[in-house]
């Protein structure tokens, strides 16, 4: 850069990977860099105006290209990012991605570095979703089929929106009107779909292990959107991203998971993920809703809400899974809320800056008080919804590459 720029400032890498703010002092001989695509300019204009002084305009159009172009289709390494700085040699940054899975069936078999890589990519998509132009081309030309054998609003809408924002051709199958109602087996359905050559299947099923069975019968990537009581990996990932953004880290936190642990796939996925990231996980709930093998999971167990929330950094409430209950597990909803519903008095046992989470849908007055759910200083429930789209975009992007 000698003779091109007199002074080049430091490159500041913020705590969030793939998020770079470059500060340069352009000299008199510096020429404006080649313009970026119009969509990129529109997305970055406000960010550049905020983080770059007015006089530092020589390379504005080439700064923070990573916002939209950092992650592109590859196998192991993200393509090098290039900024042309006033005729100077290319400045490149590379990041090694370690996500190796061909399917996303659960958190249990993911390594911590794979989890971190996916969350890092989700950060970039979270920023994209806040821009004026919310479109990428990571899945352009690929076909995504959503198969939901259970009722879903948030998750199905989130996956559909994520696929469309990535440029995929998205098809939602109406399983209530499918050939399964005529006696066709799940395996026959899988073989029929496989003959259509889809690239990505998103499956939710009421039976544990059904999604794994489908993955063995098809030649495309399969993403588990929840199977019975087994796992719900993208919910755990979006919870992790929400925690990391709220707390600034995803390790050495005390996290209380409260409610119906026995029937919750969200609880199981979160236990796997938070344990891998070196957190202190505490399960809180009545003995009737606590799995018999919970003591073997490396977690703490509390049957009193106030003891369970003691010094907690994160309070994660769970819905009563009535559709999976085959008996009377609680005396009444009123009694359950009195003992295990989250209200201001019980929440006072947690840390003053503790955040409140809920995977939804919420039953106000059963597992959580409406005032707590709407408290903008403590509740991050709506943030979880926002992060859900970003995490599912990242997951499908990575599976599309692999």
């Amino acid at each position: 850069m000698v003779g091109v720029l007199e002074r080049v400032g430091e490159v500041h890498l913020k705590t969030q990977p793939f998020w770079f703010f470059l500060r340069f002092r352009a000299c008199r001989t510096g020429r404006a860099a080649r313009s970026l695509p119009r969509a990129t300019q529109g997305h970055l204009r406000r960010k550049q105006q905020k983080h770059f002084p007015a006089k530092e305009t020589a390379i504005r159009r080439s700064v923070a290209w990573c916002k939209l172009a950092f992650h592109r289709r590859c196998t192991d390494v993200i393509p090098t990012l290039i900024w042309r700085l006033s005729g100077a040699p290319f400045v490149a940054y590379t990041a090694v991605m370690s996500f190796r899975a061909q399917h996303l069936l659960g958190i249990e078999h993911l390594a911590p570095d794979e989890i971190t890589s996916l969350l890092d990519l989700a950060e970039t998509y979270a920023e994209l979703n806040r821009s004026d132009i919310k479109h990428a081309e990571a899945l352009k030309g690929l076909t995504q089929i959503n198969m939901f054998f259970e009722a879903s609003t948030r998750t199905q809408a989130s996956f559909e929106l994520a696929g469309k924002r990535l440029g995929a051709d998205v098809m939602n199958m109406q399983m209530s009107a499918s050939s399964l109602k005529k006696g066709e087996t799940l395996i026959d359905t899988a073989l029929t779909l496989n003959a259509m050559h889809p690239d990505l299947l998103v499956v939710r099923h009421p039976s544990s292990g059904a999604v794994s069975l489908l993955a063995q019968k098809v030649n495309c990537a399969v993403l588990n959107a929840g199977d019975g009581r087994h796992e719900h990996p993208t919910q755990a990932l979006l919870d992790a991203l929400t925690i990391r953004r709220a707390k600034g880290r995803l390790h050495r936190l005390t996290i209380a998971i409260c409610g119906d642990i026995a029937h919750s796939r969200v609880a199981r996925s979160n236990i796997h993920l938070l344990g891998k990231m070196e957190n202190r996980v505490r399960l809180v709930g009545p003995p009737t809703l606590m799995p018999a093998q919970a003591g073997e999971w490396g977690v703490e167990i509390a049957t009193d809400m106030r003891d369970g929330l003691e010094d907690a950094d994160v309070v994660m409430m769970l819905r009563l899974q009535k559709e999976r209950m085959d008996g009377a597990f609680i005396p009444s909803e009123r009694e359950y809320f009195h003992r295990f519903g989250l209200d201001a008095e019980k929440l006072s046992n947690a840390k003053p800056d503790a955040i409140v989470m809920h995977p939804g849908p919420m039953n106000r007055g059963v597992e959580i008080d409406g005032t707590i759910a709407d408290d903008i200083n403590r509740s991050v429930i709506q943030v979880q919804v926002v992060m859900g789209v970003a995490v599912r975009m990242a997951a499908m992007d990575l599976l599309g590459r692999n």
Side-chain angles (χ1 to χ4, degrees), residues 337-359:
F337 178 75
H338 176 70
R339 295 192 59 190
F340 294 99
L342 185 65
D343 54 25
E345 187 272 327
K346 297 184 186 74
L347 185 58
S348 64
N349 293 276
K351 290 184 178 178
D353 62 343
I355 60 174
V356 176
M357 307 178 70
H358 195 297

Side-chain angles (χ1 to χ4, degrees), residues 331-399:
S332 66
E333 290 184 352
R334 181 176 180 180
E335 177 68 15
Y336 179 82
F337 178 75
H338 176 70
R339 295 192 59 190
F340 294 99
L342 185 65
D343 54 25
E345 187 272 327
K346 297 184 186 74
L347 185 58
S348 64
N349 293 276
K351 290 184 178 178
D353 62 343
I355 60 174
V356 176
M357 307 178 70
H358 195 297
M362 286 185 295
N363 293 315
R364 294 172 183 260
V366 178
E367 66 257 8
I368 187 170
D369 183 73
T371 304
I372 300 298
D374 298 331
D375 186 350
I376 61 175
N377 297 317
R378 308 295 291 271
S379 173
V380 293
I381 296 172
Q382 293 304 313
V383 179
Q384 290 176 266
V385 178
V386 175
M387 294 302 106
V389 178
V391 161
R392 284 154 186 150
M393 290 175 72
M396 291 191 293
D397 184 354
L398 292 173
L399 291 177

Side-chain angles (χ1 to χ4, degrees), residues 22-302:
L22 281 68
R23 301 183 62 187
F24 293 92
R25 295 185 181 276
C27 68
R28 293 183 299 274
T29 60
R31 296 173 298 172
R34 185 173 57 187
S35 297
L36 294 177
R38 185 173 300 173
T40 307
Q41 297 177 37
H43 170 55
L44 300 177
R45 188 172 295 114
R46 290 189 301 276
K47 292 291 184 181
Q48 294 168 357
Q49 292 173 351
K50 178 179 178 181
H51 293 283
F52 292 86
K55 295 182 180 180
E56 299 176 0
T57 59
I59 55 172
R60 275 189 178 183
R61 292 180 178 179
S62 61
V63 174
W65 168 255
C66 59
K67 289 287 187 172
L68 290 176
F70 197 85
H71 297 280
R72 283 297 180 260
R73 195 177 299 272
C74 63
T75 54
D76 297 311
V77 181
I78 299 175
T80 303
L81 297 184
I82 297 175
W83 291 270
R84 182 178 292 276
L85 302 178
S86 306
F90 288 147
V91 179
Y93 293 93
T94 61
V96 178
M97 296 295 289
S98 58
F99 193 87
R100 300 171 291 274
Q102 293 183 340
H103 308 288
L104 183 56
L105 305 178
I107 300 296
E108 184 176 4
H109 301 295
L110 291 183
D113 61 326
E114 292 180 296
I115 295 171
T116 301
S117 294
L118 195 151
L119 296 182
D120 291 339
L121 178 55
E123 288 279 5
T124 67
Y125 282 124
E127 294 305 315
L128 173 65
N129 291 336
R130 280 196 286 267
S131 67
D132 296 331
I133 300 176
K134 305 176 181 64
H135 188 73
E137 297 184 350
L139 298 183
K140 183 178 181 180
L142 302 185
T143 302
Q144 170 190 338
I145 300 179
N146 296 332
M147 302 171 59
F148 280 70
F149 295 85
E150 284 185 325
S152 174
T153 301
R154 294 162 183 78
T155 305
Q156 184 170 358
S158 181
F159 272 112
E160 182 178 358
L161 189 59
K164 290 181 177 179
R165 287 184 179 177
L166 290 174
D169 298 319
V170 182
M171 182 181 77
N172 292 315
M173 289 192 63
Q174 300 297 325
M175 304 314 300
S176 60
S178 71
S179 295
L180 291 172
K181 297 296 183 180
K182 302 176 182 178
E184 185 178 66
T185 66
L186 180 64
I187 293 178
D188 287 335
T189 299
L191 294 175
T192 301
L193 292 175
N194 191 57
M196 300 177 185
H197 303 291
D199 301 290
L200 181 65
L201 286 181
V202 179
V203 185
R204 168 172 284 190
H205 200 278
S207 300
S208 299
V211 180
S212 179
L213 177 63
L214 275 173
Q216 299 172 20
K217 303 298 181 180
V218 298
N219 298 324
C220 63
V222 176
L223 201 157
N224 184 2
D227 61 331
R229 304 180 185 182
H230 178 222
E231 280 213 47
H232 192 352
T234 57
Q235 181 65 48
L237 289 164
L238 73 89
D239 290 343
L241 183 60
T242 303
I243 294 171
R244 192 172 81 167
R245 291 172 69 93
K247 292 297 183 180
R249 68 185 193 277
L250 189 57
H251 63 280
R252 298 180 182 178
L253 295 170
T254 300
I255 301 172
I257 304 178
C258 313
D260 185 1
I261 310 295
H263 303 97
S264 175
R265 56 195 174 206
V266 174
R268 282 168 173 76
S269 290
N270 269 299
I271 289 169
H272 287 309
L273 191 151
L274 297 171
K276 290 176 185 287
M277 306 309 289
E278 302 178 359
N279 292 284
R280 181 182 178 186
V281 180
R282 189 181 296 154
L283 304 183
V284 186
T288 54
L289 296 178
M290 196 69 64
Q293 68 275 23
E296 304 172 3
W297 293 349
V299 298
E300 301 176 12
I301 299 176

